[in-house]
Amino acid sequence: MTATDEAAPTTSKRIRPHHLVIGLGAGIALFAALLGGWLPLLTGWHDDSPVRREVWGNVPSAVKLAFYIVIPVAIFIGALSFSNRTKNWQRGGPDDRSTTPKNVKRRMADFRAGVYMKTLLRDPAAGVMHSLIYFGFLILLAVTIILEIDHQVPEGMKFLHGDVYRAYVLVGDAAGLALLSGTVWAIVRRYVQRPYRIRIKSKPEHALILGTFLVLAVSGFGAEVWRIALDGRPEFEQWAFVSYPLSGLIEDSSTLSGGHQIWWLVHVASFVLFLAILPVTMLRHMFTSPLNMYLRDKERPKGAMKAMPNLMETEMESFGASTVEDFTWKQLLDTDSCTMCGRCTSVCPAHATGKPLDPREIVLKTGEVMAATGSPKVSPPIGLDGEITIGADSLFERITPEEVWACTSCKACDEICPVNIEILDKILDMRRYLSLMEPDKAPTELTKAWGSMESSGNPWGMSSSERTKWAEKLGDSIVVVDGTEALEHEYLYWVGCAGSFDDKNQKVTQSMAKLLQRAEIDFAILGPAENCTGDPARRSGNEYIFQMLAMQNVETLNGMGVRKIITQCPHCFNTLMNEYPQLGGHYEVMHHSKLLEQLVESGRLDLSRAQLDDRIVYHDSCYLGRHNDIYMAPRQVIGRLGGVEVVEAPRNGTKGMCCGAGGARMFMEETVGTKVNDARAEELVGTGASRIATACPFCYIMIDDGVKGMGVDDEDVKVADIAMHLVEAIEQGETADAMSVHVPQSLGPDPV
């Protein structure tokens, strides 16, 4: 299911993904039944080496027969159950995740990152624990398959004897110990240590899964211990470094045969139970998570929302997502790939400050609706409380508008997810439905911002004639073009709405203009001809207003022949670079932090005398960092200032905490819980820094408000954009040079 049209509903007879699942399951079951069980009985091939294991030793023939019937049947039933889940994914719309020569390397890298546990090891403790279970189980499965392969091949091809066998039992015991250790660790973590993100989602099926693994590991060792004792504890079995010493503790030889058979039956029964619960519990992520990671790569840039048709021309009757079918098949696969680890919950700024949003619940609730309304119905992603009922194919049966509106679109949930689930897309798709189909349910402040963008071209509702007010303090040095003629300058400086209208951010714009002039950059601004890029409209789900503004801007920029754009706003940067191509606007867009970094490194911006003598902490912008992977440029810029000590907040880089303004939250009141910007400001001030640097106009407003809300003034902690810190440092250095007093050498004593 990797091509665009592979998930669309159809009545044709062509092969569908769920058919492939059934076919694969049937093939494995047939192989286990025919080749695994009957071939050795017919051929009678036998290994006469003294250093080997007798396959099926001490196991009655009737039990062997039952084994080769039960295991294949269990595998096939599991495949049927899994195929029903696959049918649910097929309810989703198209999403081109094809494997091509261009993306195959990236796909394999993403797949390896998953199967090698690289993403889980971002959390070292949980990652090691999960790795012990995962690799321990896989190696034990491989050990079993190798034993069966050796059992099938002719005498001349048998290999599981001598030193190979000694290594084999060593690896088997090591894997068993890993599985047992990881399982015990997981039990202690979930039921004794009980971290918040685990505690709030523990269900009975977790106990069932962990209990199954525990019995599987313990009974595996038990069967081996009694088998070694039954065989008289041969010397070569010493390589089984766990089981061999334990086998010496069995004193009653009369119970050896029966004891071994009991342990063996318990071990096989636990494996059958594992096969039974695999497709109907969260254990299914053993298959779905690696698949989801393989399908991570997409043509759409990381920071871009999904494109929509021209709303002025489309005949669509509904927009956004309100039912399962409104999501893509990949978004539905996400719901069955979730490991319920809660990492997304742990980094969500809305959840951390008491808002109703929990990213994990968005995924699981979507899966619950999908499971309850499927044909046939399947088990939910994880067990539901008895009082919860789902009566219709509506996402809002389980998800409230308050959850959807609480999101800051910071992308922290997507970034930390170890299996690459795309949570933010689901929230934004539901916002599109609420904004376009049920706008009366949108927050009142947001509807005012929409009205301002529609009538004034900016969410502040200011007149376009005010867009150049910031330039008045710079005299006539700023070139303003009207957007009707070809741009004859190297760069267009896209100031943005905040940089034009907000009092704080006008200082950022002035500082940036000074720096561009110092570096002799040839630039101009649009002034009144500039509109909002439409980011607040699109992130709040109002695609209609976004397209209206974006199409006007694209028409202006293309008409002018604009090629290079500078902007200090990560939201403008992301929209211009990643989303305007959807509407025919293709430009080389540079965030001011990257340009300043280049100018400093090339020497065009001289910082040799720039001095601050302060401790400074940089606050990561979500739309610069997680949405566009720019983390080091702002740090490099402030790090080049003389006397500066750069420190980091506890949450920084990919784990940086949001300021609370993204996703159009800048234009919505925050009335529930602690304000996100207050929580972040407290964290930044806690570093002991005397300066806080930002690289986003929204971050500047929110962090400055948060710091002042703590009762801290500019003299103690100064919040400013990196451009403002840079200009201040340069001007301080120049002032210090000008004030230097050079005392002339003495000319000798005054004449008498």
Side-chain angles (χ1 to χ4, degrees):
M1 189 159 52
T2 56
T4 305
D5 62 347
E6 283 186 298
T10 181
T11 57
S12 68
K13 299 298 184 180
R14 64 189 178 89
I15 296 177
R16 308 288 291 151
H18 71 277
H19 297 144
L20 298 177
V21 172
I22 295 173
L24 180 62
I28 295 173
L30 190 62
F31 176 84
L34 296 181
L35 297 183
W38 305 108
L39 185 61
L41 295 177
L42 295 174
T43 60
W45 291 325
H46 187 73
D47 190 345
D48 294 324
S49 171
V51 182
R52 63 178 180 82
R53 176 184 303 181
E54 183 66 38
V55 181
W56 297 108
N58 194 45
V59 177
S61 298
V63 174
K64 286 192 284 185
L65 177 63
F67 178 88
Y68 284 117
I69 293 174
V70 171
I71 296 297
V73 169
I75 292 173
F76 185 67
I77 291 175
L80 287 175
S81 179
F82 207 90
S83 73
N84 289 332
R85 306 200 77 87
T86 310
K87 286 181 181 179
N88 266 319
W89 310 339
Q90 294 168 197
R91 294 165 63 187
D95 189 348
D96 190 357
R97 299 297 174 108
S98 303
T99 300
T100 67
K102 289 177 61 177
N103 68 22
V104 65
K105 287 186 178 180
R106 294 193 298 272
R107 290 215 183 283
M108 292 310 300
D110 289 334
F111 180 74
R112 287 193 297 270
V115 297
Y116 294 169
M117 298 288 109
K118 289 182 180 179
T119 52
L120 276 173
L121 287 168
R122 295 170 189 162
D123 179 344
V128 171
M129 176 201 76
H130 198 282
S131 295
L132 288 171
I133 298 174
Y134 175 77
F135 289 116
F137 181 85
L138 287 185
I139 293 171
L140 285 174
L141 184 62
V143 163
T144 303
I145 293 172
I146 288 171
L147 180 67
E148 193 59 46
I149 290 173
D150 183 74
H151 185 213
Q152 294 180 54
V153 298
E155 283 95 341
M157 297 177 64
K158 291 187 182 295
F159 55 87
L160 208 54
H161 47 236
D163 288 342
V164 174
Y165 178 75
R166 294 184 177 94
Y168 170 84
V169 296
L170 174 68
V171 170
D173 266 33
L177 187 60
L179 176 62
L180 181 59
S181 302
T183 302
V184 172
W185 188 350
I187 292 171
V188 171
R189 179 177 170 82
R190 183 168 292 277
Y191 298 108
V192 179
Q193 297 174 332
R194 304 178 72 236
Y196 172 76
R197 63 184 173 90
I198 301 296
R199 180 174 69 249
I200 63 173
K201 205 61 184 177
S202 287
K203 297 288 185 178
E205 74 178 59
H206 289 112
L208 174 62
I209 291 167
L210 291 174
T212 301
F213 277 130
L214 183 64
V215 173
L216 194 65
V218 171
S219 62
F221 277 122
E224 186 177 43
V225 166
W226 286 76
R227 177 186 60 78
I228 292 173
L230 181 64
D231 290 343
R233 304 186 71 232
E235 176 273 335
F236 60 83
E237 293 286 7
Q238 291 184 15
W239 290 86
F241 64 94
V242 175
S243 300
Y244 188 83
L246 293 176
S247 68
L249 301 178
I250 303 174
E251 298 180 353
D252 188 356
S253 60
S254 64
T255 63
L256 291 178
S257 178
H260 169 252
Q261 290 177 354
I262 291 173
W263 278 111
W264 188 90
L265 287 171
V266 171
H267 185 61
V268 171
S270 64
F271 181 66
V272 172
L273 177 60
F274 166 81
L275 292 177
I277 65 176
L278 178 59
V280 297
T281 67
M282 60 171 289
L283 266 179
R284 72 182 73 87
H285 78 262
M286 293 180 66
F287 297 112
T288 53
S289 293
L291 174 62
N292 207 55
M293 298 190 71
Y294 176 79
L295 295 169
R296 176 191 184 190
D297 190 71
K298 56 182 181 288
E299 291 298 322
R300 174 162 48 104
K302 185 179 181 183
M305 284 179 63
K306 289 187 293 186
M308 288 189 72
N310 187 332
L311 298 192
M312 313 292 183
E313 302 173 354
T314 184
E315 296 181 359
M316 293 173 62
E317 296 181 356
S318 181
F319 305 97
S322 66
T323 68
V324 169
E325 288 76 12
D326 292 329
F327 283 136
T328 69
W329 64 263
K330 172 61 173 62
Q331 289 176 307
L332 300 183
L333 168 62
D334 279 349
T335 67
D336 274 338
S337 303
C338 181
T339 66
M340 291 80 167
C341 67
R343 285 171 175 80
C344 56
T345 302
S346 70
V347 297
C348 176
H351 186 82
T353 53
K355 313 302 186 295
L357 174 64
D358 181 343
R360 174 172 57 185
E361 289 299 314
I362 295 294
V363 177
L364 298 183
K365 288 176 179 179
T366 300
E368 290 164 11
V369 176
M370 178 181 72
T373 58
S375 180
K377 295 181 179 181
V378 295
S379 60
I382 196 168
L384 282 176
D385 294 334
E387 65 271 15
I388 296 175
T389 58
I390 299 171
D393 180 12
S394 170
L395 299 171
F396 299 105
E397 281 263 313
R398 293 287 290 123
I399 300 170
T400 65
E402 289 74 23
E403 292 173 78
V404 175
W405 292 121
C407 179
T408 67
S409 72
C410 70
K411 211 176 178 68
C413 52
D414 285 6
E415 191 74 22
I416 202 170
C417 179
V419 295
N420 301 133
I421 291 172
E422 297 161 5
I423 306 171
L424 180 57
D425 273 355
K426 295 176 182 62
I427 294 173
L428 296 178
D429 283 345
M430 286 186 281
R431 278 190 174 185
R432 277 174 164 166
Y433 175 82
L434 293 173
S435 297
L436 297 172
M437 305 305 296
E438 299 183 8
D440 56 309
K441 294 185 179 179
T444 304
E445 323 86 65
L446 186 57
T447 60
K448 291 179 180 178
W450 288 342
S452 296
M453 283 186 277
E454 193 168 9
S455 61
S456 304
N458 66 84
W460 272 272
M462 303 288 284
S463 170
S464 294
S465 62
E466 299 287 308
R467 280 192 177 270
T468 55
K469 188 175 181 180
W470 62 269
E472 293 175 359
K473 293 185 178 181
L474 301 180
D476 298 326
S477 61
I478 304 300
V479 178
V480 182
V481 293
D482 65 7
T484 60
E485 298 179 358
L487 181 68
E488 297 179 354
H489 302 268
E490 182 180 6
Y491 288 98
L492 177 70
Y493 179 17
W494 189 276
V495 178
C497 299
S500 298
F501 302 121
D502 178 69
D503 291 341
K504 292 176 183 176
N505 279 285
Q506 285 179 348
K507 298 174 184 177
V508 180
T509 310
Q510 292 161 356
S511 296
M512 189 60 195
K514 290 178 182 179
L515 293 171
L516 293 174
Q517 290 171 341
R518 279 178 175 271
E520 299 181 348
I521 297 296
D522 179 27
F523 72 96
I525 66 170
L526 277 173
E530 180 182 302
N531 280 315
C532 177
T533 60
D535 166 82
R538 192 170 226 199
R539 261 65 200 175
S540 60
N542 198 321
E543 185 74 11
Y544 173 82
I545 293 178
F546 166 74
Q547 290 188 9
M548 181 191 75
L549 294 168
M551 287 176 180
Q552 291 177 17
N553 287 330
V554 169
E555 183 179 0
T556 299
L557 296 173
N558 288 352
M560 296 172 64
V562 172
R563 291 291 175 265
K564 296 181 180 180
I565 301 175
I566 306 166
T567 181
Q568 69 233 30
C569 177
H571 299 264
C572 295
F573 167 73
N574 180 69
T575 305
L576 290 165
M577 184 177 72
N578 294 327
E579 298 187 328
Y580 274 26
Q582 297 173 356
L583 301 172
H586 300 272
Y587 320 107
E588 180 185 334
V589 188
M590 185 170 290
H591 187 258
H592 78 320
S593 63
K594 290 292 288 184
L595 179 62
L596 291 174
E597 179 187 37
Q598 291 181 11
L599 295 176
V600 170
E601 289 181 351
S602 66
R604 294 183 66 178
L605 198 57
D606 183 11
L607 298 184
S608 59
R609 292 174 292 178
Q611 193 80 13
L612 278 183
D613 297 321
D614 279 308
R615 170 181 282 193
I616 188 166
V617 60
Y618 170 66
H619 162 77
D620 284 283
S621 157
C622 302
Y623 274 75
L624 194 61
R626 283 186 288 265
H627 283 265
N628 286 286
D629 295 321
I630 298 175
Y631 297 101
M632 293 309 300
R635 290 173 167 84
Q636 295 284 6
V637 170
I638 59 175
R640 294 290 292 270
L641 300 177
V644 160
E645 178 193 358
V646 180
V647 297
E648 292 288 355
R651 287 178 283 189
N652 62 78
T654 59
K655 296 182 180 179
M657 184 181 180
C658 179
C659 74
R665 288 296 318 177
M666 181 74 191
F667 307 101
M668 291 182 256
E669 292 295 330
E670 195 171 349
T671 57
V672 177
T674 304
K675 290 186 176 180
V676 175
N677 63 314
D678 288 347
R680 180 55 168 171
E682 184 176 346
E683 187 174 69
L684 294 169
V685 171
T687 63
S690 53
R691 288 177 180 264
I692 298 173
T694 62
C696 168
F698 291 172
C699 293
Y700 180 18
I701 294 170
M702 299 297 281
I703 300 302
D704 192 50
D705 287 352
V707 170
K708 286 182 170 56
M710 295 173 62
V712 180
D713 56 33
D714 279 351
E715 293 182 2
D716 296 319
V717 178
K718 181 171 184 177
V719 182
D721 184 88
I722 58 172
M724 295 171 64
H725 290 303
L726 216 58
V727 168
E728 185 178 348
I730 292 171
E731 292 179 349
Q732 280 189 14
E734 291 174 346
T735 301
D737 282 352
M739 294 178 64
S740 297
V741 178
H742 300 282
V743 181
Q745 293 183 354
S746 174
L747 299 177
D750 292 335
V752 177

